[in-house]
């Protein structure tokens, strides 16, 4: 059985065309165009990504994301309003405490909302992805983990990251295909610490191999379950490959003063797609539609404002 | 027709069905192979969604009123074009297609337009918007924020209350105007520095006065700091950098950094480094204050020359790091005085008593600066 291969068909010049229009309209509308800009980019990136001969589709629209954007802006205005109000009342410390608590408190909602929206609006071969996590259950786990992380001075953070991934991945679906994640905090912690130390010793050169380890650890631990058949995810990303990719990308972006970023992005997508596989056990023709439609993008937009890439 | 170029998905399963189409007047009939049986379904043209082109050669059509939708992928360019034509469907997006279809020319035109628009925003529109926004901040808010900042900035330092009172009297004798309730403070410090926070707080370090040769220099310094207050330079600077940040964040897709800017601006106030134009405005207005009160404006020139001379020594006064004195600024003051002319009978305000107090040398042995210097010296000798 041959593995299922990804392929990215995007072109730098085309992505640049979309990016440049997005930037212009976002500037001219003082930022209000942002949701449409994002939709255009996502639609392009998805439809140029192929798995086993079929393209992905992003169904989200600017209008949907604009609604979420407005709600997200509202939430931020309130948070900043309280921060400034408390500063005005000469209680800046209380203001900062409130601010960070609010941001931390929002994170489970952001992760949950983004997963639901993004997966529901993604499809392949006419079958939609979906997220079945429960916000309450997830929040409890999350707050507990945050508390542990604080108590252990951040060490538990590695376990927390794995727990979040385990929860989000194992509640993700592609039609009737389930996902699972087998990463463990201890192993992940080892990679984090070992990579950090080696990167310092090698003056940063090892960081590319470190990055490779992190990506591979994440990807190789994902497994699909199709009616009881376990299907592994496989990554063949190498440190020297990432090294070459990132150095050239840096040069492209640097010497074009940033305007070349779309070409760098396309190179990255092509590299990733060329090195990621899904086990051949997966029967791509036997998946049934099971997931509901979900169009609320508030979590996704909040995530953008907090600048966390979730997916 | 053959079954090689079209795939049909029924929306219920991921199974790819090879298909062929018959184009009807008001719809499309899809004949597809399902487990070796030939089946068919008909789409009414008004329920076909906006089509999508991938990679320039795959046309995807979706169909249906409610989720999940059926879809077909057509990998036949001629047929795709015919369908788009016949059913009046449009994959075009006016906004994006010009750049998508013009290859390298589009890239070049796009870059030029973008850089132009960006510069227009960055240099003209945003600064003016920032100014407009700054003017909406009420004075009472400035006063409160300014006080908080002032207190945190001098929290490590000792306030010289006698000199503070003297400075307040000194200022009253000058007869400079301000809509703010001004609050003067002299802190005991061997560093030569002075700054103003929003809302009328002016802090002058004792050493900078001790080094002055005449009270006119202090009048000029007060005029300079007073302009930062009266012209709301801090507030303008904050809005300016916030606006600049917003422009950049649009490009970098990062709105969270706003938090960083606000925190960073606590810093800007801390450093009180204004842009060159704001510094020049402060110099100019300070000279105007001196003229209005008929005080010898050459105090400004000698203040600057003295600070400039200091900067050539080893001991750089902190004032210079935030108010760089350039040849330009000195010659600007000189030219200004030449143009407005100088008078022979400048007044001497009633400032002698307060000036004397302010000039009294202080004992700096207990200040944090001296302690730090001691530690450095100890480290050196070791």
């Amino acid at each position: 059985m041959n593995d299922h291969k990804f392929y990215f068909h995007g072109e730098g010049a085309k992505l640049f065309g979309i990016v440049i229009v997005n930037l212009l309209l976002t500037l001219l509308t003082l930022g209000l165009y942002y949701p449409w800009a994002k939709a255009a980019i996502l639609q392009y990136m998805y439809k140029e990504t192929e798995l086993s001969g079929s393209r992905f589709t992003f169904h989200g629209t600017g209008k949907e994301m604009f609604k979420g954007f407005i709600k997200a802006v509202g939430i931020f205005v309130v948070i900043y309003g309280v921060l400034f109000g408390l500063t005005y009342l000469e209680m800046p410390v209380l203001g900062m405490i409130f601010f960070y608590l609010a941001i931390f408190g929002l994170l489970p909602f952001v992760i949950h909302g983004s997963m639901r929206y993004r997966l529901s609006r993604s499809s392949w071969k006419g079958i939609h992805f979906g997220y079945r996590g429960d916000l309450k259950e997830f929040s409890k786990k999350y707050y507990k983990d945050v508390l542990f992380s604080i108590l252990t001075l951040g060490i538990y953070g590695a376990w927390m990251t794995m727990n979040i991934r385990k929860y989000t991945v194992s509640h993700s679906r592609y039609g009737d295909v389930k996902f699972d994640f087998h990463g463990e905090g201890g192993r992940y912690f080892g990679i984090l610490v070992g990579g950090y130390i080696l990167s310092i010793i090698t003056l940063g050169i090892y960081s590319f191999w470190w990055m490779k380890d992190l990506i591979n650890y994440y990807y190789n631990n994902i497994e699909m379950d199709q009616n009881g058949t376990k299907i592994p995810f496989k990554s063949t990303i190498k440190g020297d490959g990432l090294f070459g990719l990132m150095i050239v990308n840096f040069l492209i972006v640097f010497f074009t003063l940033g305007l070349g970023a779309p070409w760098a992005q396309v190179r990255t997508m092509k590299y990733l797609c060329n090195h990621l596989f899904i086990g051949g056990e997966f029967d791509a023709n036997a998946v049934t539609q099971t997931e509901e439609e979900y169009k609320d993008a508030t979590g996704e937009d909040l995530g953008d404002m907090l600048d966390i890439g979730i997916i | 027709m053959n079954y090689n170029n079209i795939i049909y998905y029924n929306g219920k399963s991921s199974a790819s069905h090879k298909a062929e189409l018959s184009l009807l007047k008001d719809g499309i009939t899809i004949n597809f192979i399902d487990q070796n049986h030939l089946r068919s379904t008909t789409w009414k043209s008004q329920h076909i969604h906006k089509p999508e082109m991938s990679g320039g050669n795959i046309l995807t059509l979706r169909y249906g009123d409610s989720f999940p939708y059926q879809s077909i992928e057509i990998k036949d360019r001629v047929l795709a074009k015919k369908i788009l034509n016949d059913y009046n469907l449009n994959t075009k997006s006016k906004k994006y297609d010009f750049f998508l279809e013009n290859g390298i020319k589009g890239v070049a035109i796009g870059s030029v337009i973008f850089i132009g628009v960006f510069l227009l925003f960055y240099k003209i529109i945003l600064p003016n918007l920032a100014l407009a926004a700054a003017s909406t901040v009420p004075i009472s808010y400035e006063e409160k924020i300014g006080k908080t900042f002032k207190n945190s900035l001098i929290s490590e330092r000792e306030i010289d209350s006698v000199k503070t009172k003297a400075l307040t009297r000194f200022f009253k004798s000058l007869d400079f105007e301000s809509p703010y309730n001004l609050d003067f403070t002299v802190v005991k410090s061997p560093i030569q520095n002075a700054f103003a926070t929003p809302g009328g707080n002016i802090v002058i370090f004792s050493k900078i006065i001790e080094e002055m040769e005449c009270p006119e220099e202090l009048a000029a310094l007060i005029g300079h700091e007073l302009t930062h207050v009266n012209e709301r330079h801090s507030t303008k600077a904050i809005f300016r950098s916030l606006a600049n940040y917003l422009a950049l964040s649009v490009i970098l897709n990062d709105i969270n950094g706003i938090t960083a800017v606000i925190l960073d601006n606590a810093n800007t106030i801390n450093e009180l480094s204004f842009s060159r134009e704001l510094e020049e405005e402060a110099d100019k207005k300070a000279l105007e204050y001196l003229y209005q009160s008929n005080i010898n404006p050459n105090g400004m020139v000698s203040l600057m020359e003295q600070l400039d001379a200091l900067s050539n020594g080893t001991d750089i006064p902190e004032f210079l790091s935030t108010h760089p004195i350039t040849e330009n600024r000195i010659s600007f003051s000189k030219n200004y005085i030449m143009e407005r002319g100088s008078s022979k009978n400048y007044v001497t305000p009633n400032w002698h008593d307060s000036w004397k107090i302010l000039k009294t040398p202080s004992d700096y042995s207990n200040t944090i600066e001296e302690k730090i210097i001691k530690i450095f010296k100890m480290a050196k000798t070791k």
Side-chain angles (χ1 to χ4, degrees):
Chain A
M1 272 181 294
N2 288 327
D3 286 342
H4 295 271
K5 288 180 185 162
F6 288 92
Y7 190 81
F8 187 66
H9 296 270
E11 294 167 35
K14 291 199 171 155
L15 185 58
F16 176 85
I18 297 172
V19 168
I20 211 80
V21 175
N22 283 346
L23 285 175
L24 283 171
L25 291 174
T26 309
L27 267 181
L28 291 173
T29 57
L30 298 175
L32 289 181
Y33 188 72
Y34 177 75
W36 283 272
K38 186 177 170 185
I41 296 280
L42 285 175
Q43 282 162 5
Y44 180 77
M45 298 307 269
Y46 274 60
K47 75 180 183 183
E48 299 300 350
T49 307
E50 177 193 309
L51 172 63
S52 280
S54 299
R55 308 290 182 103
F56 287 85
T57 307
F58 180 67
H59 299 265
T61 61
K63 201 172 152 189
E64 274 163 26
M65 284 194 270
F66 183 69
K67 287 181 193 158
F69 182 72
I70 292 299
K71 285 187 209 162
V73 167
I75 292 171
F76 260 71
V77 166
V78 170
I79 293 176
Y80 274 102
V82 173
L83 172 66
F84 283 122
L86 286 172
T87 311
Y88 181 76
L89 298 172
E90 292 178 7
M91 292 184 278
V93 176
L94 202 64
M96 292 310 283
I97 291 172
F98 165 81
F99 182 78
Y100 284 112
L101 278 181
I103 300 289
F104 264 106
L106 271 179
L107 280 175
F109 170 74
V110 170
I111 295 171
H112 177 84
S114 314
M115 289 296 292
R116 271 200 85 180
Y117 178 74
R118 186 69 80 83
L119 289 183
S120 168
R121 305 309 270 150
S122 304
S123 78
W124 183 66
K125 288 164 80 79
I127 303 296
H128 283 244
F129 291 78
Y131 179 67
R132 295 188 174 188
D134 177 64
L135 180 57
K136 232 179 183 173
E137 186 190 13
F138 178 62
S139 304
K140 270 186 202 158
K141 281 176 193 262
Y142 171 86
Y143 294 132
K144 199 183 80 200
D145 280 8
V146 167
L147 194 69
F148 276 0
S149 297
I150 293 170
L151 290 177
T152 58
L153 303 173
I155 291 172
Y156 192 73
W159 280 263
M160 173 172 165
T161 310
M162 286 302 105
N163 290 346
I164 291 176
R165 283 186 179 167
K166 168 93 183 163
Y167 191 87
T168 52
V169 173
S170 65
H171 287 85
S172 298
R173 298 283 191 118
Y174 168 63
D176 61 349
V177 176
K178 294 170 195 157
F179 292 82
D180 204 354
F181 182 71
H182 301 299
E184 292 159 14
R187 292 286 303 280
Y188 185 65
F189 184 74
I191 297 173
L192 283 179
V193 173
Y196 182 73
I197 293 169
L198 281 171
S199 294
I200 290 177
I201 293 173
T202 58
L203 302 172
I205 296 170
Y206 187 77
S207 60
F208 299 98
W209 282 262
W210 185 20
M211 200 190 298
K212 176 234 8 172
D213 286 342
L214 290 172
I215 298 174
N216 287 352
Y217 192 71
Y218 182 40
Y219 194 80
N220 288 332
N221 277 308
I222 300 176
E223 187 182 73
M224 292 201 303
D225 178 333
Q226 185 174 33
N227 304 317
T229 309
K230 304 288 183 191
I231 303 144
F233 277 40
K234 302 166 191 173
S235 162
T236 58
I237 289 173
K238 300 268 191 319
D240 52 351
L242 277 184
F243 180 76
L245 172 77
M246 306 288 266
I247 294 288
V248 176
N249 278 357
F250 172 78
L251 293 174
I252 291 174
V253 174
F254 186 80
F255 283 107
T256 57
L257 301 174
L259 286 173
W263 281 269
Q265 207 179 342
V266 164
R267 281 171 45 83
T268 306
M269 279 302 290
K270 280 196 192 278
Y271 182 83
L272 290 177
C273 285
N274 285 338
H275 292 85
L276 300 177
F277 304 90
I278 291 173
E281 301 89 333
F282 174 47
D283 184 353
N285 277 322
V287 184
T288 41
Q289 189 89 273
T290 56
E291 302 308 299
E292 286 168 9
E293 210 174 25
Y294 182 77
K295 291 182 173 180
D296 183 351
T298 313
E300 171 102 23
D301 285 303
L302 269 172
D304 284 350
M305 293 189 187
L306 294 170
D307 196 26
I308 35 180
I310 284 153
I311 300 166
Chain B
M1 282 205 196
N2 60 48
Y3 284 82
N4 288 332
N5 294 321
I6 298 164
I7 296 171
Y8 166 73
Y9 297 108
N10 62 15
K12 292 181 187 112
S13 119
S14 66
S16 314
H17 303 287
K18 290 184 168 183
E20 58 129 42
L21 307 178
S22 8
L23 306 184
L24 315 173
K25 206 177 166 194
D26 57 350
I28 301 171
T29 295
I30 300 156
N31 304 304
F32 59 94
I33 301 164
D34 182 12
Q35 293 170 336
N36 295 326
H37 296 286
L38 191 62
R39 297 179 199 279
S40 80
T41 181
T42 298
W43 290 4
K44 287 183 179 151
S45 56
Q46 70 265 32
H47 296 300
I48 298 175
H49 301 191
K50 184 174 163 40
E52 189 176 279
M53 256 316 190
S54 318
N57 53 15
I58 304 171
L59 178 68
T60 303
L61 296 177
R62 257 174 273 280
Y63 178 79
D65 288 332
S66 60
F67 185 82
Y69 309 109
Q70 305 171 46
S71 59
I72 45 174
E73 280 175 19
I74 302 160
K75 291 181 183 168
D76 177 332
R77 276 190 108 135
V78 182
L79 178 62
K81 223 172 184 178
K82 184 171 161 55
I83 291 173
L84 291 176
N85 248 330
D86 288 3
Y87 298 97
N88 207 7
L89 296 167
N90 194 3
T91 57
K92 301 269 176 192
S93 160
K94 274 183 217 147
K95 290 193 283 279
Y96 293 101
D97 284 358
F98 173 78
F99 295 102
L100 295 185
E101 285 165 3
N102 280 287
I104 196 77
K105 200 174 104 193
V107 169
I109 295 174
S111 305
V112 170
I113 296 178
F114 172 69
I115 292 168
V117 170
F118 183 71
L119 286 180
L120 179 75
F121 257 79
Y122 204 71
K123 292 277 181 198
I124 298 168
I125 297 179
L126 285 174
N128 284 314
L129 275 178
L131 276 188
S135 67
T136 64
V137 175
I139 287 185
S140 62
Y141 190 76
E142 277 193 317
E143 280 171 351
K144 242 175 185 165
I145 293 286
K147 199 165 222 161
T148 313
F149 276 123
K150 184 202 81 178
N151 288 337
S152 76
L153 287 173
I154 62 172
S155 62
E156 309 260 304
R157 297 202 157 88
E158 191 190 327
I159 295 173
D160 187 327
S161 54
V162 177
K163 286 191 175 182
T164 296
K165 276 179 197 151
L167 182 63
T168 310
R169 268 182 282 134
F170 186 93
F171 171 73
K172 276 191 185 133
S173 73
L174 301 176
D175 211 17
F176 290 171
E177 275 172 20
S178 173
Y180 288 87
N181 280 323
L182 294 171
D183 174 51
F184 286 91
T185 310
V186 177
V187 291
K188 199 166 164 183
S189 169
I191 289 177
Q192 298 199 38
N193 197 11
F195 61 81
T197 68
N201 304 285
I202 294 176
V203 177
I204 299 184
F205 289 38
S206 55
K207 184 76 173 174
I208 197 170
I209 308 179
E210 284 168 28
E211 294 294 318
M212 286 177 182
E213 278 161 12
C214 56
E216 281 82 2
E217 289 182 16
L218 181 55
L221 177 64
I222 291 175
H224 181 96
E225 297 301 335
L226 186 62
T227 310
H228 285 323
V229 171
N230 285 354
E231 300 300 319
R232 326 180 100 188
H233 284 172
S234 296
T235 311
K236 283 177 188 167
I238 292 173
F239 275 90
R240 178 76 181 269
S241 72
L242 200 60
N244 285 348
Y245 181 77
L246 281 175
L248 291 176
S249 80
V250 159
I251 290 175
L252 303 171
N253 270 347
D254 168 21
I255 301 182
N256 180 41
I258 290 175
T259 323
V261 169
I262 288 163
L263 295 176
D264 206 48
N265 267 301
N267 236 332
T268 309
I269 296 196
N270 218 328
E271 291 168 3
L272 293 156
S273 45
F274 297 112
S275 69
R276 233 177 59 203
E277 44 184 315
L278 294 185
E279 286 302 334
E280 281 170 9
E281 187 183 5
D283 288 348
K284 190 175 162 231
K285 287 265 161 75
L287 286 163
E288 280 170 17
Y289 287 130
L290 293 173
Y291 270 99
Q292 272 162 26
S293 298
N294 201 18
I295 297 170
N296 190 344
N298 285 306
M300 188 70 172
V301 178
S302 68
L303 171 73
M304 282 187 187
E305 280 175 346
Q306 190 225 331
L307 288 169
D308 191 33
L310 262 176
S311 73
N312 295 328
T314 47
D315 186 28
I316 299 176
E318 198 161 291
F319 190 76
L320 296 186
S321 63
T322 53
H323 302 66
I325 299 221
T326 58
E327 287 300 319
N328 275 341
R329 281 179 65 192
I330 297 179
S331 58
F332 170 81
S333 295
K334 282 183 176 166
N335 288 338
Y336 187 90
I337 294 167
M338 278 227 298
E339 269 170 38
R340 271 188 87 157
S342 45
S343 134
K344 271 174 194 155
N345 35 17
Y346 288 117
V347 296
T348 309
N350 184 21
W351 58 23
H352 298 292
D353 293 346
S354 45
W355 173 245
K356 216 167 154 188
I357 296 169
L358 289 165
K359 279 289 281 179
T360 324
S362 305
D363 172 18
Y364 294 118
S365 53
N366 279 327
T367 58
I368 46 167
E369 290 87 358
E370 285 298 320
K371 282 176 191 159
I372 291 168
I373 289 167
K374 257 182 212 159
I375 293 168
F376 270 106
K377 275 185 184 159
M378 264 160 63
K380 256 188 189 170
T381 49
K382 272 182 188 171

